[in-house]
Amino acid sequence: MGIEDGKAMTRAVHLAGKGRGTTHPNPMVGAVLVKDGRIIGEGWHSSPGKPHAEILAIEDAGHKAADSTMYVNLEPCCHFGRTPPCTDAITGAGVKRVVVACLDTNSKVSGKGIEALRNKGVEVVTGVGEARALELNRAYFYFAATGRPYVTLKLASSLDGRIATSSGHSRWITGEVSRRAVHNLRAQVDGILVGAGTVLADDPLLTARDVGAKVQPVRIVLDPALKTPLKAKLVREAEDRKTLLVVGKSVADAATEPFREYGVNFIKLPLRKGFFSWQDIYGALLKNDVIHLLVEGGSRTAAWFVAEGAVRRLEIFFAPVLLGGDAVPSIGDLMLDNLKDAPGFNHVRWSKSGEDLRLVADKI
């Protein structure tokens, strides 16, 4: 008995995940070729400009690709970009059947890749392993559909929703397992963002450590008045890890020069009622190839992103402790008068994270 469609697609999704952190702004794609019940070729996309997964799988199979079945987690492209259309390579190799997990929401591809294959006599099956494939590339799909970055908000909190004591002490609320999970989250995104208050309070490095990250995310600080100290870790170690400080237009160039000597880059944006607009921020993020953003707080920054409707996913790690009403809340004031105005999330999942609880929820 040969490999089943579901198992072959699981392998394709696994291969796609090997490109985590290196393919942006492209999606993660893996491809598997099967013939006579056996895998004869595999490939996965590693970075923009490099061969697509389908091409690598065909090259891996060689002449055996003729009359085989290809399993791919995303609809093959049918247009010229940095590389030629994958649909041409698939039909040219004589692949007779293509199993696709999900369609590409990119308007250049959506449905057209499947149509191109069928027009050449290739049998196409869709929807196999769709849920896992959609989850893998959720940031890409959201960006392709909306033109905006996908935002994940991460919080490390007590059971009563506090991130620090009344004196500001916060290290460490959650345990080692949860902290490692956060580093894994960092390794999956294009950028990590905090407010200047977090830099002043915690002096974070904002890197993905000890999880095999291939590329470090861009480090971003929202800092309208340039309060980030020159001695901050993310400034002093900015040379080999891109750091962006987003400041108000009124910040003098002379004030930014000492930071630039360490390799820090600046984005100057106008202020509206004392802060930036989400539209200006996400425009700046996209210019720096950030389509998946991890927001790590503090409470005012978290509240602002929630209030703007920018947060698509919550990742909250709850420690089994209580800090009480005077402690710092995980989310600042949302200025809500009515419960019906409260931002809603669904598809809530709970799991253990060492001694902590981990909640994941998506925007309605």
Side-chain angles (χ1 to χ4, degrees):
M1 181 177 177
I3 189 168
E4 299 172 353
D5 283 358
K7 290 183 178 180
M9 186 60 74
T10 296
R11 177 60 181 169
V13 172
H14 171 76
L15 289 170
K18 290 178 176 289
R20 194 181 302 279
T22 63
T23 63
H24 67 275
N26 290 354
M28 292 173 277
V29 183
V32 173
L33 278 173
V34 173
K35 188 173 183 178
D36 297 327
R38 297 181 179 276
I39 293 176
I40 59 170
E42 296 183 336
W44 54 277
H45 182 50
S46 62
S47 60
K50 294 293 180 67
H52 287 191
E54 299 93 323
I55 307 300
L56 293 173
I58 290 168
E59 291 178 352
D60 189 30
H63 70 276
K64 296 179 182 178
D67 296 323
S68 66
T69 295
M70 175 175 284
Y71 297 85
V72 60
N73 62 294
L74 186 68
E75 179 180 7
C77 67
C78 55
H79 66 286
F80 280 90
R82 291 186 176 97
T83 58
C86 288
T87 51
D88 289 353
I90 292 168
T91 56
V95 175
K96 68 177 182 180
R97 181 172 178 257
V98 176
V99 181
V100 178
C102 58
L103 273 63
D104 194 335
T105 53
N106 186 327
S107 60
K108 294 180 179 178
V109 182
S110 186
K112 301 181 182 70
I114 289 173
E115 182 182 6
L117 292 172
R118 285 176 173 161
N119 286 342
K120 291 290 183 71
V122 177
E123 178 189 352
V124 181
V125 177
T126 62
V128 176
E130 183 178 40
R132 288 190 62 195
L134 289 171
E135 169 64 17
L136 179 71
N137 279 309
R138 65 186 184 279
Y140 166 79
F141 289 126
Y142 181 76
F143 167 70
T146 67
R148 295 190 295 273
Y150 183 95
V151 178
T152 297
L153 173 61
K154 185 277 296 182
L155 301 170
S157 161
S158 63
L159 289 176
D160 54 343
R162 309 291 165 168
I163 60 173
T165 65
S166 56
S167 65
H169 185 244
S170 62
R171 292 189 177 179
W172 298 98
I173 289 180
T174 52
E176 184 178 345
V177 173
S178 294
R179 295 198 296 274
R180 184 173 180 82
V182 170
H183 283 283
N184 272 308
L185 283 176
R186 290 177 175 181
Q188 297 173 29
V189 302
D190 307 318
I192 306 171
L193 183 146
V194 297
T198 296
V199 177
L200 291 169
D202 298 337
D203 193 19
L205 191 55
L206 299 183
T207 56
R209 300 185 293 278
D210 302 322
V211 291
K214 299 171 186 175
V215 178
Q216 288 293 337
V218 179
R219 302 180 295 184
I220 304 147
V221 181
L222 298 186
D223 192 358
L226 189 51
K227 293 182 179 179
T228 297
L230 195 60
K231 65 180 180 180
K233 291 177 183 175
L234 51 74
V235 172
R236 295 288 173 147
E237 300 187 27
E239 187 173 349
D240 62 342
R241 299 185 180 101
K242 194 172 184 181
T243 299
L244 297 175
L245 296 187
V246 184
V247 300
K249 280 196 169 183
S250 62
V251 172
D253 289 342
T256 69
E257 285 306 316
F259 294 85
R260 295 182 189 276
E261 291 179 9
Y262 286 99
V264 173
N265 292 307
F266 281 84
I267 297 173
K268 289 190 174 185
L269 296 176
L271 299 178
R272 295 177 174 84
K273 296 182 180 181
F275 206 65
F276 310 109
S277 76
W278 172 225
Q279 184 174 352
D280 286 343
I281 289 175
Y282 77 64
L285 293 174
L286 295 180
K287 287 179 181 177
N288 286 276
D289 290 332
V290 176
I291 67 169
H292 190 176
L293 178 69
L294 180 65
V295 175
E296 293 204 13
S299 61
R300 290 178 61 190
T301 301
W304 183 85
F305 273 90
V306 171
E308 288 291 315
V311 177
R312 306 309 305 173
R313 173 166 288 189
L314 295 176
E315 288 269 3
I316 307 179
F317 297 85
F318 288 98
V321 297
L322 299 171
L323 297 183
D326 291 333
V328 181
S330 58
I331 302 286
D333 196 348
L334 294 176
M335 307 297 288
L336 298 175
D337 293 323
N338 196 305
L339 276 176
K340 68 179 179 62
D341 298 323
F345 292 81
N346 61 6
H347 193 207
V348 179
R349 291 88 77 198
W350 290 91
S351 61
K352 285 283 288 180
S353 180
E355 295 301 311
D356 306 324
L357 287 175
R358 180 177 183 175
L359 176 146
V360 181
D362 296 310
K363 181 69 175 177
I364 292 175

